[in-house]
Amino acid sequence: MRLLVIEDDKDLNRQIVQALEQSGYAVDRAFDGEQGQYLGETETYDTVVLDIGLPKKDGISVLEQWRAAGRDMPVLILTARDRWSEKVQGFDAGADDYVAKPFHMEEVLARIRALLRRATGHATNEIVCGPVRLDTKAGRVVVDGAPVKLTSHEYRLLAYLMHHSGRIVSRSEIIEHIYDQDFDRDSNTIEVFVGRLRKKLGVDLIHTIRGLGYMAAPSVEEASGKR
Ligand code: CA
């Protein structure tokens, strides 16, 4: 999952980005409204954390323009504690949730997990596909009860496929959602990651749909039935 953080307070921006990266997300950052709006319009994000008080362009305008342009990713706004009107304006502009400053990072992380769950049709932090269980809160993967150790990119790839299990996901879609913008993207590496994941998981979970991409499904029959 790939996220965007738009916050002009440099320390706070860094803290949020660090916490998100530690939670297994690919993260891009922006420090003003113009740069943030541009990224949100040109790149693909699974959720955006958007501060309301921003230089160059305020968060409400950024959000309104995204929504007017048909950008429908979930957006979590950061509001000032004593400004209830910011929350109302934010929701009316198309925000999905808010956190008032100052906040505990755990709350931001929990709200982002909830937004990602809702956007992908899952009700809990644990996503189960056959014998594989992905705990999105702990960032853990368990197969038949045994924990599996994954690198951060392997985890991101598996998490993306499992959030979208039963659906064909193309390589280019995967690339857009597991790397941040600074990463040197190469679609051949996806195949390498898939190979390593299959080996580490030891079960038939990730199916190659020839010419189209990959699908996470508990069995081959299920994968072909969903095509
Ligand atoms: Ca601010």
Side-chain angles (χ1 to χ4, degrees):
M1 296 293 182
R2 183 178 173 203
L3 311 180
L4 171 64
V5 175
I6 310 174
E7 165 62 64
D8 58 313
D9 180 325
K10 289 206 166 62
D11 281 340
L12 186 56
N13 189 309
R14 182 176 41 78
Q15 286 165 24
I16 300 171
V17 169
Q18 265 176 6
L20 293 174
E21 284 177 343
Q22 278 164 10
S23 300
Y25 304 112
V27 190
D28 290 345
R29 69 206 79 192
F31 298 91
D32 65 62
E34 278 177 9
Q35 185 195 12
Q37 189 193 346
Y38 175 76
L39 284 175
E41 247 167 41
T42 54
E43 299 287 329
T44 307
Y45 297 104
D46 295 293
T47 287
V48 177
V49 178
L50 174 66
D51 185 30
I52 294 301
L54 289 169
K56 294 190 184 171
K57 189 177 278 184
D58 68 274
I60 300 288
S61 308
V62 170
L63 185 51
E64 280 173 348
Q65 284 170 24
W66 280 341
R67 296 316 193 208
R71 306 298 281 176
D72 61 357
M73 64 284 197
V75 173
L76 172 73
I77 54 171
L78 304 178
T79 66
R81 169 77 56 192
D82 49 351
R83 299 229 190 110
W84 64 270
S85 59
E86 279 190 356
K87 295 164 200 161
V88 174
Q89 280 181 316
F91 279 119
D92 283 340
D96 299 277
D97 200 0
Y98 77 92
V99 177
K101 290 177 178 180
F103 50 76
H104 289 282
M105 202 58 78
E106 276 307 315
E107 184 179 352
V108 172
L109 296 175
R111 289 184 182 276
I112 288 173
R113 283 193 295 273
L115 289 174
L116 292 171
R117 280 203 305 266
R118 227 171 291 153
T120 54
H122 296 276
T124 67
N125 283 327
E126 190 177 58
I127 300 175
V128 181
C129 192
V132 183
R133 305 174 94 83
L134 179 89
D135 180 340
T136 61
K137 184 177 178 209
R140 266 199 305 260
V141 177
V142 170
V143 179
D144 284 328
V148 178
K149 238 184 132 125
L150 301 177
T151 65
S152 61
H153 280 125
E154 289 164 0
Y155 176 82
R156 284 183 202 166
L157 172 57
L158 182 65
Y160 192 77
L161 288 172
M162 286 187 70
H163 271 92
H164 297 280
S165 63
R167 174 164 89 68
I168 299 170
V169 179
S170 72
R171 261 196 244 178
S172 58
E173 181 180 340
I174 293 171
I175 287 168
E176 278 176 12
H177 290 269
I178 71 165
Y179 296 131
D180 56 56
Q181 61 166 348
D182 299 329
F183 200 86
D184 184 17
R185 300 168 193 185
D186 174 2
S187 70
N188 290 321
T189 56
I190 300 300
E191 214 167 290
V192 176
F193 287 146
V194 167
R196 284 192 211 149
L197 268 178
R198 281 177 177 148
K199 211 176 263 176
K200 285 191 180 179
L201 297 174
V203 291
D204 210 10
L205 176 81
I206 304 172
H207 307 275
T208 301
I209 313 295
R210 212 195 298 174
L212 297 173
Y214 302 99
M215 188 196 293
S219 66
V220 182
E221 294 74 38
E222 186 127 342
S224 37
K226 290 251 168 69
R227 292 187 59 178

